[in-house]
Amino acid sequence: MSTTIDTIKQQIGENPILIYMKGSPQLPQCGFSAQAVQALMSCGERFAFVNILDNPDIRAELPKYASWPTFPQLWVDGELVGGCDIIVEMYQNGELETLIKATAAKHKDDQPEA
Amino acid sequence: MSVQASIEAKLQALEPSMLLVENESHKHHVPPNSETHFKVTLVSERFGGMLPVKRHQQIYALLADELAGPVHALALHPYTPEEWAARGGERPDSPNCRGGGR
């Protein structure tokens, strides 16, 4: 049986663009998550999400692993980019789209065919 | 000491040239006079050459007790003096509550 930390590492390792959030992109349950996921969606690339309200183990363990106490958290290429404030600031100055587009392009060949 | 005063005291470790701690709890679904949602704007030379994620992690480390206890949300806006001047002293607004996570 895998531990929660193993699950987190696997999620971060297998999904080059991953957001941990409260609720879903279609129905965010927190203003900070809503703002962050809206910025991410505007970049126009596919991304993965984990609803931490449905995953209390991840909600409890990820802040320790990430040295980041709150949600949302955006992880790109295995690295924590930041939470809502950083995501929105990067969106406004264009850095977010650059990062997301570059990451999607880099990984477009290693996604398994559906 | 109030949570707000405690946050203000602990963040002095970053030698801020400007520190603004705002209690935004009234915008959320919490009882009146709560100290659960805060916005911190902090200007410090210390942030020079540091990525945003590292700046935030430094602040989170200083406020670990508050975040493990009463504080539910903490909006952070850390700037160097140069960045703050370039922004003209404007800090971003926090988003409105969506009612989740209660």
Side-chain angles (χ1 to χ4, degrees):
Chain A
M1 204 184 102
S2 70
T3 66
T4 303
I5 290 293
D6 291 335
T7 305
I8 290 169
K9 284 181 182 168
Q10 189 179 5
Q11 289 170 340
I12 291 169
E14 290 180 354
N15 297 286
I17 304 168
L18 172 64
I19 186 166
Y20 290 92
M21 63 181 291
K22 291 183 176 173
S24 65
Q26 287 71 35
L27 198 59
Q29 296 288 308
C30 158
F32 295 95
S33 286
Q35 216 175 41
V37 83
Q38 197 173 14
L40 185 56
M41 285 193 287
S42 75
C43 296
E45 298 293 342
R46 287 185 56 181
F47 62 90
F49 78 95
V50 174
N51 178 357
I52 54 121
L53 297 177
D54 289 341
N55 293 275
D57 294 349
I58 290 173
R59 184 181 188 171
E61 292 301 321
L62 181 56
K64 290 175 242 170
Y65 176 71
S67 302
W68 196 271
T70 55
F71 296 94
Q73 294 185 13
L74 176 64
W75 290 75
V76 173
D77 243 345
E79 298 277 346
L80 177 63
V81 174
C84 175
D85 298 323
I86 291 176
I87 295 167
V88 169
E89 177 137 7
M90 287 178 72
Y91 168 69
Q92 286 166 349
N93 66 23
E95 286 173 26
L96 185 68
E97 188 168 4
T98 307
L99 173 70
I100 296 301
K101 291 248 184 264
T103 306
K106 185 173 147 191
H107 289 276
K108 73 174 162 43
D109 294 329
D110 60 24
Q111 281 172 1
E113 291 297 317
Chain B
M1 200 192 304
S2 69
V3 176
Q4 173 148 0
S6 162
I7 291 173
E8 286 167 352
K10 288 183 178 177
L11 291 180
Q12 294 302 323
L14 291 169
E15 299 172 338
S17 57
M18 203 290 291
L19 171 62
L20 185 61
V21 179
E22 296 165 271
N23 184 348
E24 299 192 317
S25 308
H26 62 277
K27 294 167 66 177
H28 298 269
H29 291 278
V30 292
N33 305 316
S34 290
E35 292 193 289
T36 50
H37 295 66
F38 287 93
K39 172 154 92 176
V40 171
T41 309
L42 196 160
V43 181
S44 173
E45 299 272 5
R46 294 266 200 105
F47 294 140
M50 200 184 287
L51 283 174
V53 65
K54 297 289 173 204
R55 300 178 185 187
H56 286 232
Q57 281 170 330
Q58 283 211 341
I59 295 173
Y60 288 145
L62 288 168
L63 302 180
D65 291 344
E66 285 73 19
L67 284 159
V71 175
H72 172 80
L74 186 64
L76 296 183
H77 304 291
Y79 303 108
T80 63
E82 293 74 22
E83 291 164 351
W84 182 243
R87 293 184 63 89
E90 285 286 321
R91 63 201 193 285
D93 287 334
S94 298
N96 291 323
C97 187
R98 296 285 179 112
R102 274 177 283 179

